[in-house]
Amino acid sequence: MTTSWAELMSEIENCSACPLRAGCQRVVPGEGSPTADIMFIGEGPGADEDRLGRPFVGRAGELLTKMIHAIGMERAEVYICNTVKCRPPGNRVPTPEEMAACRPFLRAQVALVRPRIIVLLGATAGRDVLGDGFRVTRDRGKWVEKKGVWIMPTYHPSALLRDETLKRPAWEDFKQVRVKARELLGG
Ligand code: URA
């Protein structure tokens, strides 16, 4: 599809493939290192992200940032994006059609970044990347390897804010990411 970051970013900015663009303030393509070893994929921008044009900058983002720090990394050295790049109204879950319309962008981001590890945050990212059969409570914490890329599904940080009991299993998943990163990348 796309060959360069500049082209991809312009395609994302100018997309009108689904109705979400018409209802949001800013497009939130993603941010971080274009050559990151670890990529985090969330669901879609919320109100804060929509206002600032950056992913995971609200309450859930603060928690994600802390968890990234806790595994010894900085936001600037990973890549963070979402299944859909425009905010679904009222933070509803993106429809299968909206996800399908945005999927080529996510694929192109993965192809450009070429991460060794992908962390899927929540059920929507899980379904988008691993298919409709994905169930976060059943499938989180288990590595899936696809074409040499190690994929770790876990809970969405918003879920951890709603239900404190999910923090421990999510932390176990992040620790697995830290171990795999050391294994694959050294350090
Ligand atoms: N929730 C998400 O899934 N993505 C964001 O960028 C912010 C909150």
Side-chain angles (χ1 to χ4, degrees), residues 28 42-46 49 54-58 60-61 80-82 121 156 158:
V28 183
E43 179 174 293
E49 291 76 20
R54 297 179 55 208
F56 281 101
V57 289
I80 304 175
C81 63
N82 285 299
L121 302 166
H156 192 285
S158 301

